[in-house]
Amino acid sequence: MTGSRTGFSRSLTAIAVSAMTTLVLCSCGGGEEPSGPDASSSPSSPEASESSTAAGGGGGKAEINGATLTAPAGWEVEFEDSSYVLSAPDDDHPTGVGVFNADVTLASDVDELADAALSRVETAYPDGKRLPDVKYGGSTFFHLRGTNATERFDHYGTVVGDSEVVVAWSFNPEWVTRDEADEFINQVMPSFKFEG
């Protein structure tokens, strides 16, 4: 990994973590105070397993609170700040990351979770919108998408029992087209499983 990749990957990760944290913290509230999980009410160490890395080629499994995503060879999977960060492969420059988390929720269903998240996405991305729902691992996920000058953003979320699962994807639009971002996402999202 080059120094420029490390710095840019950390920047993308920070943006995605910030966006996801905002969406998660505010996912159930419509008023002044967010309802739903926050850092003070979450367990200090969520049930996360160490990521496994495939020999010689990266990739690996991210598992947290019963939710699992698997990244293919060439991807990096790291546990940072109570979420997994899945970094897409690159040649000479960073491409993007997915930030993956699962925790308890107060949202009653996917639509409630999506409505709360969409209001935040529309604020950060003028073209932010909800796309048709998709199914992964038998669970229906909402799909939000937006783009601004520095980021292509896709946000997926679902409610499974009492758990909320979110994956926030962030890609650099200078190096990744919309079709390429979709290809990266489709390498990982179909691997979703929940055993909570």
PDB file of all heavy atoms in Angstrom, residues 4 11 22 24 38 84 123 135 142 144 146 155 167 172 179:
ATOM      1  N   SER A   4       0.212   7.539  -0.472  1.00  0.00           N
ATOM      2  CA  SER A   4      -0.931   8.324  -0.945  1.00  0.00           C
ATOM      3  C   SER A   4      -2.215   7.531  -0.841  1.00  0.00           C
ATOM      4  O   SER A   4      -3.270   8.056  -0.560  1.00  0.00           O
ATOM      5  CB  SER A   4      -0.710   8.793  -2.390  1.00  0.00           C
ATOM      6  OG  SER A   4      -0.626   7.682  -3.254  1.00  0.00           O
ATOM      7  N   SER A  11      -9.088   9.075   4.349  1.00  0.00           N
ATOM      8  CA  SER A  11     -10.038  10.162   4.124  1.00  0.00           C
ATOM      9  C   SER A  11     -11.394   9.614   3.702  1.00  0.00           C
ATOM     10  O   SER A  11     -12.430  10.040   4.212  1.00  0.00           O
ATOM     11  CB  SER A  11      -9.530  11.124   3.041  1.00  0.00           C
ATOM     12  OG  SER A  11      -8.358  11.756   3.470  1.00  0.00           O
ATOM     13  N   THR A  22     -23.784   9.297  11.338  1.00  0.00           N
ATOM     14  CA  THR A  22     -24.898  10.238  11.339  1.00  0.00           C
ATOM     15  C   THR A  22     -26.195   9.540  10.994  1.00  0.00           C
ATOM     16  O   THR A  22     -27.219   9.728  11.642  1.00  0.00           O
ATOM     17  CB  THR A  22     -24.652  11.385  10.337  1.00  0.00           C
ATOM     18  OG1 THR A  22     -23.456  12.056  10.729  1.00  0.00           O
ATOM     19  CG2 THR A  22     -25.807  12.352  10.296  1.00  0.00           C
ATOM     20  N   VAL A  24     -26.905   6.299  11.255  1.00  0.00           N
ATOM     21  CA  VAL A  24     -27.281   5.345  12.291  1.00  0.00           C
ATOM     22  C   VAL A  24     -27.816   6.062  13.520  1.00  0.00           C
ATOM     23  O   VAL A  24     -28.845   5.695  14.053  1.00  0.00           O
ATOM     24  CB  VAL A  24     -26.088   4.437  12.671  1.00  0.00           C
ATOM     25  CG1 VAL A  24     -26.392   3.626  13.907  1.00  0.00           C
ATOM     26  CG2 VAL A  24     -25.745   3.508  11.517  1.00  0.00           C
ATOM     27  N   ASP A  38     -26.519   4.805  19.893  1.00  0.00           N
ATOM     28  CA  ASP A  38     -25.453   5.796  19.835  1.00  0.00           C
ATOM     29  C   ASP A  38     -24.277   5.256  20.637  1.00  0.00           C
ATOM     30  O   ASP A  38     -24.376   4.220  21.261  1.00  0.00           O
ATOM     31  CB  ASP A  38     -25.915   7.168  20.330  1.00  0.00           C
ATOM     32  CG  ASP A  38     -26.258   7.201  21.812  1.00  0.00           C
ATOM     33  OD1 ASP A  38     -25.910   6.266  22.559  1.00  0.00           O
ATOM     34  OD2 ASP A  38     -26.882   8.172  22.235  1.00  0.00           O
ATOM     35  N   TYR A  84     -16.629  -2.368  10.427  1.00  0.00           N
ATOM     36  CA  TYR A  84     -15.682  -2.930   9.475  1.00  0.00           C
ATOM     37  C   TYR A  84     -15.539  -1.981   8.304  1.00  0.00           C
ATOM     38  O   TYR A  84     -16.523  -1.381   7.842  1.00  0.00           O
ATOM     39  CB  TYR A  84     -16.148  -4.290   8.957  1.00  0.00           C
ATOM     40  CG  TYR A  84     -15.715  -5.410   9.852  1.00  0.00           C
ATOM     41  CD1 TYR A  84     -16.580  -5.930  10.800  1.00  0.00           C
ATOM     42  CD2 TYR A  84     -14.437  -5.940   9.759  1.00  0.00           C
ATOM     43  CE1 TYR A  84     -16.183  -6.965  11.628  1.00  0.00           C
ATOM     44  CE2 TYR A  84     -14.026  -6.963  10.587  1.00  0.00           C
ATOM     45  CZ  TYR A  84     -14.900  -7.479  11.515  1.00  0.00           C
ATOM     46  OH  TYR A  84     -14.495  -8.486  12.343  1.00  0.00           O
ATOM     47  N   THR A 123     -29.327  15.887   2.223  1.00  0.00           N
ATOM     48  CA  THR A 123     -28.618  17.076   2.695  1.00  0.00           C
ATOM     49  C   THR A 123     -27.184  17.097   2.177  1.00  0.00           C
ATOM     50  O   THR A 123     -26.686  18.134   1.754  1.00  0.00           O
ATOM     51  CB  THR A 123     -28.616  17.106   4.240  1.00  0.00           C
ATOM     52  OG1 THR A 123     -29.964  17.143   4.691  1.00  0.00           O
ATOM     53  CG2 THR A 123     -27.872  18.311   4.760  1.00  0.00           C
ATOM     54  N   LYS A 135     -32.594  -7.422  -2.486  1.00  0.00           N
ATOM     55  CA  LYS A 135     -32.517  -8.517  -1.512  1.00  0.00           C
ATOM     56  C   LYS A 135     -31.130  -9.116  -1.514  1.00  0.00           C
ATOM     57  O   LYS A 135     -30.573  -9.417  -2.572  1.00  0.00           O
ATOM     58  CB  LYS A 135     -33.531  -9.616  -1.849  1.00  0.00           C
ATOM     59  CG  LYS A 135     -34.892  -9.326  -1.321  1.00  0.00           C
ATOM     60  CD  LYS A 135     -35.691 -10.609  -1.195  1.00  0.00           C
ATOM     61  CE  LYS A 135     -36.986 -10.231  -0.537  1.00  0.00           C
ATOM     62  NZ  LYS A 135     -37.427 -11.174   0.424  1.00  0.00           N
ATOM     63  N   PHE A 142     -32.921  -1.336   1.786  1.00  0.00           N
ATOM     64  CA  PHE A 142     -33.146  -0.112   1.023  1.00  0.00           C
ATOM     65  C   PHE A 142     -31.821   0.253   0.371  1.00  0.00           C
ATOM     66  O   PHE A 142     -30.752  -0.190   0.797  1.00  0.00           O
ATOM     67  CB  PHE A 142     -33.693   1.031   1.889  1.00  0.00           C
ATOM     68  CG  PHE A 142     -32.726   1.581   2.911  1.00  0.00           C
ATOM     69  CD1 PHE A 142     -31.726   2.469   2.547  1.00  0.00           C
ATOM     70  CD2 PHE A 142     -32.843   1.246   4.246  1.00  0.00           C
ATOM     71  CE1 PHE A 142     -30.844   3.003   3.480  1.00  0.00           C
ATOM     72  CE2 PHE A 142     -31.974   1.764   5.198  1.00  0.00           C
ATOM     73  CZ  PHE A 142     -30.970   2.643   4.807  1.00  0.00           C
ATOM     74  N   LEU A 144     -29.921   3.783  -1.057  1.00  0.00           N
ATOM     75  CA  LEU A 144     -29.871   5.223  -1.294  1.00  0.00           C
ATOM     76  C   LEU A 144     -28.617   5.530  -2.085  1.00  0.00           C
ATOM     77  O   LEU A 144     -27.586   4.875  -1.905  1.00  0.00           O
ATOM     78  CB  LEU A 144     -29.839   5.988   0.027  1.00  0.00           C
ATOM     79  CG  LEU A 144     -30.916   5.650   1.045  1.00  0.00           C
ATOM     80  CD1 LEU A 144     -30.727   6.487   2.306  1.00  0.00           C
ATOM     81  CD2 LEU A 144     -32.302   5.859   0.473  1.00  0.00           C
ATOM     82  N   GLY A 146     -26.214   8.899  -3.909  1.00  0.00           N
ATOM     83  CA  GLY A 146     -25.974  10.319  -4.129  1.00  0.00           C
ATOM     84  C   GLY A 146     -24.554  10.542  -4.604  1.00  0.00           C
ATOM     85  O   GLY A 146     -23.680   9.703  -4.421  1.00  0.00           O
ATOM     86  N   HIS A 155     -25.762   3.826   0.015  1.00  0.00           N
ATOM     87  CA  HIS A 155     -26.061   3.423   1.387  1.00  0.00           C
ATOM     88  C   HIS A 155     -27.126   2.337   1.339  1.00  0.00           C
ATOM     89  O   HIS A 155     -28.188   2.530   0.742  1.00  0.00           O
ATOM     90  CB  HIS A 155     -26.572   4.634   2.178  1.00  0.00           C
ATOM     91  CG  HIS A 155     -26.903   4.328   3.600  1.00  0.00           C
ATOM     92  ND1 HIS A 155     -25.939   4.206   4.570  1.00  0.00           N
ATOM     93  CD2 HIS A 155     -28.086   4.114   4.212  1.00  0.00           C
ATOM     94  CE1 HIS A 155     -26.528   3.941   5.730  1.00  0.00           C
ATOM     95  NE2 HIS A 155     -27.826   3.878   5.534  1.00  0.00           N
ATOM     96  N   VAL A 167     -24.570  -0.596   5.385  1.00  0.00           N
ATOM     97  CA  VAL A 167     -23.315  -0.590   4.644  1.00  0.00           C
ATOM     98  C   VAL A 167     -23.297   0.711   3.850  1.00  0.00           C
ATOM     99  O   VAL A 167     -24.166   0.942   3.006  1.00  0.00           O
ATOM    100  CB  VAL A 167     -23.172  -1.786   3.688  1.00  0.00           C
ATOM    101  CG1 VAL A 167     -21.773  -1.805   3.065  1.00  0.00           C
ATOM    102  CG2 VAL A 167     -23.477  -3.101   4.388  1.00  0.00           C
ATOM    103  N   ASN A 172     -14.328   7.479  -4.998  1.00  0.00           N
ATOM    104  CA  ASN A 172     -13.783   8.709  -5.560  1.00  0.00           C
ATOM    105  C   ASN A 172     -14.240   8.838  -7.016  1.00  0.00           C
ATOM    106  O   ASN A 172     -13.877   8.017  -7.848  1.00  0.00           O
ATOM    107  CB  ASN A 172     -12.252   8.669  -5.491  1.00  0.00           C
ATOM    108  CG  ASN A 172     -11.614   9.937  -5.983  1.00  0.00           C
ATOM    109  OD1 ASN A 172     -12.107  10.600  -6.885  1.00  0.00           O
ATOM    110  ND2 ASN A 172     -10.500  10.286  -5.381  1.00  0.00           N
ATOM    111  N   ASP A 179     -20.637   2.873 -13.016  1.00  0.00           N
ATOM    112  CA  ASP A 179     -20.675   1.435 -13.325  1.00  0.00           C
ATOM    113  C   ASP A 179     -19.605   0.672 -12.559  1.00  0.00           C
ATOM    114  O   ASP A 179     -19.851  -0.436 -12.070  1.00  0.00           O
ATOM    115  CB  ASP A 179     -20.506   1.202 -14.833  1.00  0.00           C
ATOM    116  CG  ASP A 179     -21.748   1.608 -15.623  1.00  0.00           C
ATOM    117  OD1 ASP A 179     -22.834   1.746 -15.018  1.00  0.00           O
ATOM    118  OD2 ASP A 179     -21.619   1.782 -16.855  1.00  0.00           O
TER     119      ASP A 179
END
